[in-house]
DNA sequence: TATGAAATGCAATAGTC
DNA sequence: GACTATTGCATTTCATA
């Protein structure tokens, strides 16, 4: 993992359909050398996937809420394990300020939300803020 | 924009380096037809960019705070314009619950944060939660 | 909007240093 | 770990339906 690998990653991040030959020109290496570096980056999971960004108008509409959790127990490990394995949890942060965790939760309907809230009620109380419009 | 376009988008989302020929086989179209559809999807910005997902260990360490804004004015449009054009604002939501906006803000140092808080103080008061560890 | 054919260029492999 | 050379395949363009 050196500077050339970082340049390859940077170029692919800008345009993942760039040709290997094109990369090789930009970083002064031959095409086979670039390919073998790319293969290694993929194998070592430094590059996780090749994908596209799609217009948000195409994505399915879903609900998003931000849940602040105030712990009443000290079962942090158990909670973190639960959060990591819940598919609705997009992001989760341990915070300092007002509360212990801030959780970004995505869901289709009220039922999904209620189920989730019931589950975290084992660990503490919560306060919930629901997005009513995404500005950005 | 029809079902074939959606299939192309789906295939590219799974692997943005898939060859055009390979797409053409999967959806029973010729390569030139797939190419012209792809060009159109890009031109119409239904595909916004071709990119890669990079291992999170490679990303620069940055600070993240969640800022709840309690409006004291009614200058929503002005605020939303400001949020949209501030590069530190990763996401911003109009919320119901406790507060008016929830803002996810990324920054390198305290100075960046203070500048931002000063700017939004024109619109209202805030409460801030700072991530001290990302669980997920 | 799709197709087929042709020219160009790229990818991928093997062999070498 | 990188280079050159080779082979086969993909991309792209254009004329046509």
């Amino acid at each position: 993992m050196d500077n050339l690998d970082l340049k390859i990653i940077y170029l692919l991040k800008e345009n993942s359909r760039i040709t290997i030959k094109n990369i090789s020109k930009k970083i002064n290496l031959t095409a086979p050398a670039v390919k073998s570096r790319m293969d290694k980056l993929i194998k070592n999971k430094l590059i996780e996937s090749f994908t596209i960004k799609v217009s948000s108008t195409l994505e399915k509409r879903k609900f998003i809420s931000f849940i602040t959790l105030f712990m009443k127990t000290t079962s942090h490990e158990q909670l973190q394990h639960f959060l990591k394995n819940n598919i609705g949890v997009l992001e989760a942060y341990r915070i300092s300020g007002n509360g212990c965790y801030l959780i970004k939760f995505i869901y289709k309907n009220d039922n999904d939300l209620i189920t989730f809230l019931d589950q975290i009620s084992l660990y503490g109380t919560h306060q919930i803020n629901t997005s009513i419009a995404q500005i950005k």
Side-chain angles (χ1 to χ4, degrees), chain A:
Chain A
M1 185 69 205
D2 60 8
N3 199 255
L4 287 174
D5 284 332
L6 283 176
K7 282 184 185 170
I8 291 172
I9 286 174
Y10 172 76
L11 290 167
L12 286 169
K13 209 168 182 179
E14 293 252 302
N15 172 19
S16 60
R17 282 186 78 81
I18 187 174
T19 60
I20 288 175
K21 191 165 191 193
N22 226 320
I23 296 175
S24 73
K25 277 183 208 157
K26 285 182 197 279
I27 65 174
N28 296 319
L29 230 59
T30 56
V34 170
K35 182 175 166 23
S36 82
R37 278 169 176 269
M38 265 179 69
D39 289 346
K40 219 171 265 177
L41 288 170
I42 294 163
K43 196 184 157 209
N44 297 340
K45 299 196 177 165
L46 292 165
I47 294 175
E48 289 177 357
S49 65
F50 296 88
T51 186
I52 54 172
K53 275 195 191 155
V54 174
S55 162
S56 59
T57 59
L58 274 184
E59 306 278 354
K60 273 189 213 151
R61 176 101 187 76
K62 297 214 173 176
F63 301 107
I64 288 180
S65 284
F66 294 87
I67 298 156
T68 311
L69 176 60
F70 301 81
M71 296 289 278
K72 69 181 179 201
T73 75
T74 54
S75 317
H76 288 277
E77 278 192 15
Q78 201 183 332
L79 169 69
Q80 291 184 14
H81 182 263
F82 166 70
L83 293 175
K84 281 180 191 172
N85 291 287
N86 185 300
I87 60 161
V89 175
L90 294 181
E91 295 171 57
Y93 298 84
R94 188 93 158 78
I95 55 172
S96 68
N98 181 38
C100 303
Y101 289 91
L102 189 53
I103 300 158
K104 182 176 171 185
F105 190 68
I106 191 165
Y107 54 102
K108 298 188 303 295
N109 53 44
D110 285 344
N111 222 28
D112 287 355
L113 179 60
I114 290 165
T115 303
F116 181 70
L117 293 179
D118 284 345
Q119 288 171 311
I120 61 167
S121 71
L122 298 173
Y123 301 97
T125 59
H126 65 263
Q127 194 226 309
I128 179 161
N129 287 315
T130 300
S131 168
I132 55 178
Q134 183 160 11
I135 311 305
K136 183 171 178 179

